[in-house]
Amino acid sequence: MGDESDSEKYMEEVQYHTRQKHVFLTEYLNIWSDRVKKSKPTLDIYDLFASFGKCKCDEKGEEWDGSALIAAKCLQKYRRGTKLWLNSYSDDSKEKELQHAALNKRLNALNLPDRIKIEIQGDPIEIAVDDALSDFNPNYPSFWILDPYGPTQLPWALVGKIAKSEGSFTTKGGKTKIRRPELFIVLMTSSLQRVATKSDGSEELISATLGIPTDMWKSQVKDLVEKHGFDYRKAIIYLYAHRLEEIYGKLPIGWTVKGTEGNIVYTIFLATDHRAGYYVMQKEGLPKFNEWFEEKWIPEAKKLKKIRRSEEHTSELQSH
């Protein structure tokens, strides 16, 4: 591990499928920065798993902005962006220091306008959520990035606490309407699927993630699998989406992320009661993302897969 003086070279090491969630996130935040024209409201962004702010995929030889820098650049472009609240935590105190040093250097390099208040915290997620909620004003728009390192870090108790932090606003017509935080959630469905049929206590991970008692979700999953032809992964995604619908009044926008081998890695959810943003993302954001996915990600993933299998074959020959 290095020191803080060269912290800008440190990045979060990821696999190439991670690129998908960051392009998806960028497409939605572009709606805020590029499409919101009239009566621009303020916007605060909360990223609760900010890490180093930059990602690298050694296998692909690429680097790109992580969620914290994507959020910062959105607020920079959007002239009513007012707050960037980041939490970057590690059990390793030195790792956490490097994360914070790297974030500070990268944010300073952007020369963000003074109107944007930046706060960087370094707490376990339970504490970070409470601190963030005490900081934000629910009567104004907020966007929350919930991209954990594993499913245990994002129980429904925390997601629901954020989603139910309602405010209100008055329309031009004088009507009062409820405002809820917009959520970008990465759900680790592969980890959840593996314990869906267990009865050794490990299945309690799903109970915590869904916020549903074990007997209840098992009954619901069984019904979806046996009567509706779902597999366990799709059943979990279905239940999670409908938990969000209970709060937001409509199903979230979703995207299932595949790894380079074609395996399902996780699912992205975008939950919002912002009708215009929801509509524009469906009509323009998702098509743009799909175009990028088809023209950029799939060909590159195929190249990586071919190279990987060639290397595995060479290794097998050398071992004989």
Side-chain angles (χ1 to χ4, degrees), residues 71-91:
K73 290 178 180 180
C74 167
L75 294 174
Q76 188 175 42
K77 289 168 62 180
Y78 183 67
R79 295 185 179 274
R80 293 274 285 161
T82 53
K83 185 181 297 180
L84 179 62
W85 197 99
L86 306 174
N87 186 67
S88 187
Y89 174 75
S90 172
D91 289 330

Side-chain angles (χ1 to χ4, degrees), residues 34 38 81 128 168 172 226 229 233 244 279 318:
D34 300 340
K38 297 180 180 179
S168 63
K172 288 184 178 180
E226 295 181 356
R233 176 184 56 78
L244 290 169
Y279 172 77
Q318 292 175 342

Side-chain angles (χ1 to χ4, degrees), residues 49-267:
F49 299 92
S51 189
F52 291 94
K54 200 88 173 175
C55 298
K56 68 174 180 177
C57 176
D58 289 336
E59 185 179 33
K60 185 67 179 64
E62 285 188 11
E63 301 172 0
W64 60 84
D65 289 344
S67 55
L69 290 191
I70 292 171
K73 290 178 180 180
C74 167
L75 294 174
Q76 188 175 42
K77 289 168 62 180
Y78 183 67
R79 295 185 179 274
R80 293 274 285 161
T82 53
K83 185 181 297 180
L84 179 62
W85 197 99
L86 306 174
N87 186 67
S88 187
Y89 174 75
S90 172
D91 289 330
D92 183 329
S93 60
K94 185 60 178 178
E95 175 86 357
K96 186 168 73 172
E97 287 176 9
L98 284 172
Q99 288 176 350
H100 287 212
L103 280 171
N104 277 308
K105 285 192 175 183
R106 289 175 174 135
L107 291 171
N108 287 337
L110 293 178
N111 294 314
L112 296 173
D114 291 340
R115 61 178 163 79
I116 300 174
K117 178 185 175 184
I118 300 172
E119 185 166 346
I120 301 177
Q121 299 286 353
D123 296 310
I125 188 61
E126 296 83 3
I127 297 173
V129 167
D130 286 341
D131 286 348
L133 287 174
S134 67
D135 176 84
F136 99 118
N137 186 335
N139 296 316
Y140 293 91
S142 63
F143 186 82
W144 297 64
I145 302 170
L146 306 176
D147 181 11
Y149 299 106
T152 58
Q153 295 178 322
L154 201 61
W156 182 260
L158 298 182
V159 175
K161 184 184 288 190
I162 297 169
K164 292 177 181 177
S165 298
E166 299 176 350
S168 63
F169 67 100
T170 304
T171 66
K172 288 184 178 180
K175 294 183 178 180
T176 299
K177 290 193 173 183
I178 291 174
R179 189 192 302 280
R180 297 180 181 84
E182 298 185 42
L183 306 184
F184 175 88
I185 301 169
V186 178
L187 183 68
M188 305 292 190
T189 43
S190 58
S191 299
L192 298 170
Q193 182 182 359
R194 284 194 289 269
V195 299
T197 58
K198 302 283 188 179
S199 297
D200 58 3
S202 60
E203 73 277 15
E204 295 299 322
L205 174 61
I206 298 178
S207 308
T209 301
L210 295 175
I212 301 175
T214 303
D215 290 346
M216 184 180 295
W217 70 254
K218 280 196 171 186
S219 175
Q220 293 172 335
V221 166
K222 181 180 179 182
D223 184 72
L224 290 168
V225 170
E226 295 181 356
K227 296 182 181 179
H228 301 280
F230 284 47
D231 58 30
Y232 286 98
R233 176 184 56 78
K234 288 182 179 178
I236 292 168
I237 291 171
Y238 178 90
L239 294 179
Y240 199 87
H242 281 274
R243 294 252 43 203
L244 290 169
E245 184 188 26
E246 291 171 9
I247 299 173
Y248 286 88
K250 58 175 172 289
L251 288 169
I253 295 171
W255 175 262
T256 301
V257 174
K258 292 183 179 180
T260 53
E261 296 292 330
N263 55 309
I264 304 298
V265 184
Y266 45 72
T267 302

